[in-house]
Amino acid sequence: MSERPAIVLLSGGLDSSTVLAIARAQGFRPAALTFRYGQRHAVEIEAARRVAAAQGVADHRIADIDLRVFGGSALTADIAVPKGRAEAEMADGHIPVTYVPARNTIMLSFALAFAEVIDAADIFVGVNAVDYSGYPDCRPDYIQAFETMANLATKAAVEGRRLTLHTPLIDLTKADIIRRGLELGVDYAITSTCYDPDPQGRACGQCDSCRLRLKGFADAGLSDPAPYV
Amino acid sequence: MSERPAIVLLSGGLDSSTVLAIARAQGFRPAALTFRYGQRHAVEIEAARRVAAAQGVADHRIADIDLRVFGGSALTADIAVPKGRAEAEMADGHIPVTYVPARNTIMLSFALAFAEVIDAADIFVGVNAVDYSGYPDCRPDYIQAFETMANLATKAAVEGRRLTLHTPLIDLTKADIIRRGLELGVDYAITSTCYDPDPQGRACGQCDSCRLRLKGFADAGLSDPAPYV
């Protein structure tokens, strides 16, 4: 069987780097898509390039989307990234200020365009409903609704080819994700997850994203190989 | 009753300029959203600015999205725009080369982000299922699926505020749209619909978009006030 193409949304963080390895393990030939969206953590893009190269991705595109035109998030506007929040606070059902309005919808829409252009019928995205920090667009019913919409949106759909949205991490804890990635040979030292890294790309260790990541490694009985300040 | 905010996708063409007037007539305070997406017909953006100004829009944002990263359409890649196609050829169910992959999905996703940021619960878009030239993402079932997805995607949705996607042109012929717009005082002389205008912004008169527009004016017993080459 020849490898089928699949789009993988690759931020360069822990989750998407694991998803990329899972797509390859499932026999897909991944094309990676990374966004430059006016985010503070632009070092993520360099991490995405390292991860794509390390995993032998032949087609990696960087799409520019400037969400600063809308503001509204600590990741794109001039709002402080919260530091040192307790796990209970992250999991209280409130949506944090780091939420970027409609971000997953926008990114998946670009993935849909990319899929259509290279004739891919599969899109992989690293959303997670366990450690999702209260983001509405990480929930399973949202993902299902996006897939339904996507199957009405495109030329491929009109021609009867069904698109599948894969979310292999959706029910995994961070520790599960890390264990799975390590089985597949993911090098987490080159990934970048932090919302507020320093100019050298070292993680802050204090934002929600860092805390969830560090807790994941601790729960798996491991230490994180990535650099911290 | 104070005016509620609504997002209006405004390309500067005939349809979206009419939609803007309809949103205002329905008592909304429209915020307009226009895209600079590497399209050939960038004069559309100037048309959008003129239309927004003429209709008193206080908040008009231009979002950059570079779809050239994917190629795949005569509107964004180096493929010739077809000229002089007969109406039967446009309406034969084939998707034309001017189709931009996932364009409406991407634009509506940005509208969703904008709506979330300014607390709007209404989005207006000028899709049309009658003269839709074979684009899958102009069909009513697609629009309904997008609305369902959007209501699962956002912070507002999580908080129980329902978003409505308005498509006031969906069942209208081009002639109906023009008549409705003229009733509402739309100045079609300042709109731009052509896929391939000259540098002065004058329409070619030969592409699918021009032909549908010219036929609409003819069917309404009117002549188009916009400049042609």
Side-chain angles (χ1 to χ4, degrees):
Chain A
M1 198 181 92
S2 70
E3 290 181 325
R4 283 177 297 155
I7 311 300
V8 177
L9 289 182
L10 182 67
S11 71
L14 184 151
D15 291 344
S16 66
S17 301
T18 309
V19 169
L20 179 59
I22 291 172
R24 292 172 66 230
Q26 291 184 4
F28 288 96
R29 184 179 73 250
L33 178 56
T34 300
F35 297 93
R36 192 185 285 117
Y37 60 95
Q39 73 272 60
R40 292 179 165 189
H41 45 309
V43 296
E44 265 194 357
I45 290 164
E46 289 315 308
R49 289 192 206 277
R50 291 193 299 266
V51 171
Q55 296 202 30
V57 171
D59 187 356
H60 183 200
R61 309 212 192 173
I62 315 286
D64 280 298
I65 50 175
D66 192 354
L67 297 180
R68 282 174 298 197
V69 70
F70 304 128
S73 164
L75 298 189
T76 59
D78 202 13
I79 302 170
V81 170
K83 299 289 176 77
R85 300 206 304 163
E87 203 189 346
E89 203 181 344
M90 290 186 248
D92 69 358
H94 284 92
I95 293 167
V97 296
T98 50
Y99 171 72
V100 176
R103 179 167 59 171
N104 279 351
T105 306
I106 291 171
M107 291 185 176
L108 287 172
S109 300
F110 274 78
L112 186 63
F114 191 12
E116 191 159 11
V117 169
I118 70 165
D119 277 332
D122 296 87
I123 296 173
F124 282 77
V125 57
V127 298
N128 181 268
V130 178
D131 288 332
Y132 76 111
S133 288
Y135 293 180
D137 52 3
C138 291
R139 297 172 303 164
D141 52 353
Y142 162 76
I143 293 294
Q144 193 161 19
F146 190 95
E147 189 183 83
T148 299
M149 181 277 293
N151 274 296
L152 292 165
T154 66
K155 199 165 158 174
V158 167
E159 293 163 0
R161 198 149 52 94
R162 186 152 182 83
L163 183 128
T164 303
L165 194 48
H166 300 258
T167 57
L169 311 186
I170 201 149
D171 292 323
L172 303 186
T173 64
K174 200 62 95 184
D176 292 335
I177 295 167
I178 293 165
R179 285 191 206 98
R180 182 81 183 108
L182 291 173
E183 283 167 17
L184 296 171
V186 174
D187 177 7
Y188 289 118
I190 62 172
T191 66
S192 173
T193 300
C194 180
Y195 285 150
D196 195 21
D198 77 358
Q200 286 75 47
R202 293 175 303 179
C204 77
Q206 297 298 321
C207 68
D208 290 3
S209 187
C210 279
R211 293 173 78 94
L212 288 170
R213 178 178 169 128
L214 289 166
K215 181 173 182 301
F217 276 98
D219 289 348
L222 298 163
S223 66
D224 186 351
Y228 284 83
V229 290
Chain B
M1 197 180 94
S2 69
E3 291 182 325
R4 283 177 298 156
I7 310 301
V8 177
L9 290 182
L10 182 68
S11 72
L14 185 151
D15 292 345
S16 65
S17 302
T18 309
V19 168
L20 179 58
I22 291 172
R24 292 172 65 229
Q26 291 184 5
F28 288 96
R29 185 179 71 249
L33 179 57
T34 300
F35 297 93
R36 192 185 284 116
Y37 60 94
Q39 73 273 59
R40 292 178 166 191
H41 45 308
V43 295
E44 265 194 356
I45 290 165
E46 289 314 307
R49 289 192 206 277
R50 290 193 298 267
V51 171
Q55 297 201 31
V57 171
D59 187 356
H60 182 200
R61 310 214 191 171
I62 315 285
D64 280 297
I65 50 175
D66 192 354
L67 297 180
R68 283 175 298 198
V69 70
F70 304 127
S73 163
L75 298 190
T76 59
D78 201 13
I79 301 171
V81 170
K83 300 287 176 79
R85 300 207 305 163
E87 203 189 346
E89 203 181 344
M90 290 186 246
D92 68 358
H94 284 91
I95 293 168
V97 297
T98 49
Y99 171 71
V100 176
R103 180 168 59 171
N104 279 350
T105 306
I106 291 171
M107 292 186 177
L108 287 172
S109 300
F110 275 78
L112 187 63
F114 191 11
E116 192 158 10
V117 169
I118 70 166
D119 277 331
D122 296 270
I123 296 173
F124 282 78
V125 57
V127 299
N128 180 267
V130 178
D131 287 333
Y132 77 111
S133 287
Y135 293 180
D137 51 5
C138 291
R139 296 173 304 164
D141 51 353
Y142 162 76
I143 293 294
Q144 193 161 20
F146 190 96
E147 189 184 82
T148 299
M149 180 277 293
N151 275 296
L152 292 165
T154 65
K155 198 165 158 175
V158 167
E159 293 163 1
R161 197 147 54 91
R162 184 149 185 84
L163 184 128
T164 303
L165 194 48
H166 300 257
T167 57
L169 310 186
I170 202 149
D171 292 323
L172 303 186
T173 64
K174 200 62 93 184
D176 292 334
I177 294 167
I178 293 165
R179 284 191 207 99
R180 182 80 183 109
L182 291 173
E183 283 168 16
L184 296 171
V186 174
D187 178 7
Y188 289 118
I190 63 172
T191 66
S192 173
T193 300
C194 181
Y195 286 149
D196 195 21
D198 76 358
Q200 287 75 45
R202 293 175 303 179
C204 77
Q206 298 297 320
C207 68
D208 290 4
S209 187
C210 278
R211 292 172 78 93
L212 288 170
R213 176 178 170 129
L214 288 166
K215 183 174 179 303
F217 275 96
D219 289 349
L222 298 163
S223 65
D224 186 349
Y228 284 82
V229 290

